[in-house]
Amino acid sequence: MSNLKEKNNKSIFYILSAAILCVLVVQFGFADSSKWVEFILAGTLTPILSVVLVMLTNFISHDFKHKLIFTRLRNEMPASRCHTLCKKDPRIDLSDVSARWPRVFSESTSAENRNSYWYNDIYKGVRGRPEVLQIHGNFLLYRDAFSGLLGIFLLVISWNIFAPLNFMGSINTWVYLVLGSFICITMVTARNSGNRFVTNAIAAAI
């Protein structure tokens, strides 16, 4: 997993930098040339801020990120619901996988145990397969990009409350809308990738 995260760092950097630049364009615009100096100054700080945020994403616990992405306080990992996810995947015959891994797909299995059984009985055997590695990497990428974007959103709110108005002025409402769009897109993409990660592993193990 650490190798996948290291490979994703550059992509996360680009995503966060793009979000920050979009925010700066919305905040300053180009019609008023008097704001160009502030735009350029803030723009030069973009790579530094992006690097810091990439580092910070690694300090946030995985459990907390998963709870936010899947909007669940308990049993948030999608493997806890693999028996229902498989019903929506045309590659998987639920009766076949239920017969092969009964404790994973039994209705009586608790969500917590189901996640553990999926990991040990199914994922471990196929975790090196290309189709599993790719979707796992995508899930980690969008999960960490989501947490970085959330960090930018919190920084913008803090800036609006505590920073002097004579530098950037009050935060444009569109800044929140742009950041909110980035956050929602990465959240949904991370959630879909997480679900697909689970079903890809099952499909690969069949």
Side-chain angles (χ1 to χ4, degrees), residues 43-188:
T44 57
L45 296 175
T46 296
I48 299 172
L49 179 58
S50 297
V51 169
V52 171
L53 287 169
V54 169
M55 292 173 60
L56 288 177
T57 60
N58 295 320
F59 285 99
I60 302 173
S61 72
H62 299 161
D63 289 343
F64 184 66
K65 294 177 189 177
H66 296 154
K67 290 180 190 303
L68 291 176
I69 288 170
F70 294 104
T71 57
R72 293 171 179 264
L73 294 177
R74 297 183 61 213
N75 301 316
E76 63 277 2
M77 296 305 292
S80 300
R81 301 174 294 282
C82 63
H83 60 312
T84 57
L85 293 175
C86 286
K87 293 177 182 178
K88 305 172 185 177
D89 195 317
R91 301 172 299 172
I92 300 170
D93 187 313
L94 190 59
S95 60
D96 287 346
V97 294
S98 296
R100 183 167 181 178
W101 298 290
R103 69 174 187 170
V104 177
F105 293 95
S106 172
E107 292 292 340
S108 62
T109 301
S110 67
E112 183 178 2
N113 286 337
R114 192 187 312 279
N115 181 68
S116 177
Y117 295 157
W118 170 85
Y119 182 88
N120 289 300
D121 297 358
I122 299 175
Y123 171 66
K124 274 188 174 181
V126 296
R127 57 185 170 187
R129 296 276 292 272
E131 63 270 35
V132 177
L133 281 172
Q134 180 180 8
I135 195 64
H136 189 189
N138 289 346
F139 170 61
L140 297 177
L141 167 63
Y142 293 112
R143 180 199 70 181
D144 290 341
F146 165 79
S147 61
L149 289 165
L150 202 60
I152 295 173
F153 191 81
L154 295 175
L155 284 174
V156 169
I157 292 175
S158 300
W159 183 278
N160 200 33
I161 295 173
F162 301 110
L165 292 177
N166 59 354
F167 176 53
M168 289 179 62
S170 60
I171 299 297
N172 190 320
T173 303
W174 280 98
V175 167
Y176 296 109
L177 295 175
V178 168
L179 278 177
S181 298
F182 269 94
I183 290 170
C184 288
I185 290 170
T186 52
M187 179 182 180
V188 171

